[in-house]
């Protein structure tokens, strides 16, 4: 069965530090992968997507993610955290042939001053 | 930038009552979705809708649920007889048709509270 695993339900980083949010997927075929961000009391906003065109994907707000097939990972990074990055981040996968997204359990990012 | 809008933002309903959650997808989008997020849990797929019919649904989407596109702009989710466990945030999403890889765009959600 297709699934997405996000390691770490809560991650804290200092302002200016590297942000690393982990996402691993299980799929027998190449998936389509997404990262969404949810700010308090708001909906899901697309950060970036992987659709097999390039393994390193750049998104909005300085975030990027690298697809590593050998590790079945799609970790989200940002070189320098900003206070405004505090939010919940969701990794999602869409299998070829279906249109539904399967979401991970989310990682709440806290940025410390 | 066009966005998906959902109303109401918060709905409080007595158990056993019917509730309709409303969504206005992005105007040129043709694929529509509902997801839900129970407090503290992950976002779960409910149903996808295309060309006036359900294209895919999850096991959560039982006979108590229905979806409809009553006109050219609205997309609704109806829960016929609500249960306490239906309390959740419900997200509507839409996607364009031109590119199958286009991501789904989500609304801000409706928080449904069943008393």
């Amino acid at each position: 069965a297709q699934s997405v695993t996000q390691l770490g339900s809560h991650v804290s980083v200092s302002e200016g530090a590297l942000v690393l949010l982990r996402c691993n997927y299980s799929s027998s075929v190449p998936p389509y992968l997404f990262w969404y961000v949810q700010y308090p009391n708001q909906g899901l906003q697309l950060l970036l997507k992987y659709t097999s065109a390039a393994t390193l994907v750049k998104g909005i707000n300085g975030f990027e993610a690298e697809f590593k097939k050998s590790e079945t990972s799609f970790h989200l990074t940002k070189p320098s955290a900003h206070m405004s990055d505090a939010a919940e981040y969701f990794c999602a996968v869409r299998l070829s042939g279906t249109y539904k997204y399967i979401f991970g359990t989310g990682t709440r990012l806290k940025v410390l001053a | 930038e066009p966005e998906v809008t959902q109303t109401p933002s918060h709905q409080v309903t007595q158990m056993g009552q019917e509730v309709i959650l409303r969504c206005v997808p992005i105007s040129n989008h043709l694929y529509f979705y509902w997801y839900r997020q129970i407090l503290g849990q992950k976002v779960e797929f409910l149903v996808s809708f295309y060309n006036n019919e359900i294209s895919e649904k999850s096991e959560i989407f039982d006979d108590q649920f229905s979806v409809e596109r009553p006109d050219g702009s609205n997309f609704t989710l109806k829960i016929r007889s609500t249960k306490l466990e239906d309390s959740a945030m419900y997200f509507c999403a839409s996607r364009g048709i031109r590119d199958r890889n286009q991501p789904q765009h989500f609304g801000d959600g409706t928080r449904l509270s069943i008393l």
Side-chain angles (χ1 to χ4, degrees), chain B residues 26-32 49-51 69 94-97:
Chain B
I26 295 173
S27 64
N28 62 346
H29 284 187
L30 294 176
Y31 284 90
F32 313 115
F49 189 87
Y50 169 70
N51 199 25
R69 187 153 163 81
S94 71
R95 184 181 71 83
I97 192 173

Side-chain angles (χ1 to χ4, degrees), chain B:
Chain B
E1 184 176 331
E3 53 185 38
V4 177
T5 56
Q6 292 185 241
T7 55
S9 57
H10 192 187
Q11 174 79 44
V12 181
T13 301
Q14 292 287 331
M15 185 173 61
Q17 295 295 305
E18 174 184 287
V19 66
I20 297 175
L21 309 182
R22 303 182 189 279
C23 170
V24 178
I26 295 173
S27 64
N28 62 346
H29 284 187
L30 294 176
Y31 284 90
F32 313 115
Y33 309 84
W34 283 101
Y35 291 80
R36 79 171 184 190
Q37 184 182 27
I38 295 172
L39 187 63
Q41 299 185 26
K42 64 180 178 180
V43 178
E44 301 173 291
F45 169 79
L46 291 178
V47 66
S48 63
F49 189 87
Y50 169 70
N51 199 25
N52 285 321
E53 61 182 25
I54 291 173
S55 50
E56 196 171 359
K57 63 180 181 179
S58 72
E59 60 276 7
I60 302 169
F61 195 87
D62 60 22
D63 292 343
Q64 294 298 316
F65 292 87
S66 63
V67 289
E68 192 179 26
R69 187 153 163 81
D71 53 42
S73 61
N74 290 283
F75 178 53
T76 62
L77 174 69
K78 181 192 291 186
I79 308 175
R80 192 167 61 208
S81 177
T82 51
K83 303 186 282 288
L84 293 176
E85 53 266 37
D86 293 327
S87 295
M89 180 75 89
Y90 287 81
F91 292 105
C92 174
S94 71
R95 184 181 71 83
I97 192 173
R98 182 169 52 87
D99 181 354
R100 286 165 61 95
N101 295 328
Q102 280 187 351
Q104 296 173 18
H105 296 260
F106 286 78
D108 283 348
T110 293
R111 182 169 299 283
L112 177 63
S113 300
I114 307 299
L115 305 179

Side-chain angles (χ1 to χ4, degrees), chain A residues 29-66:
Chain A
V29 296
Y32 298 102
L33 294 158
F34 307 85
W35 275 99
Y36 282 83
V37 60
Q38 185 180 32
Y39 298 102
N41 300 314
Q42 293 187 28
L44 299 166
Q45 181 182 2
L46 180 71
L47 275 178
L48 49 81
K49 64 178 182 179
Y50 167 75
T51 56
S52 76
T55 56
L56 182 62
V57 182
K58 294 189 184 297
I60 63 171
N61 301 340
F63 284 93
E64 61 182 38
E66 186 173 7

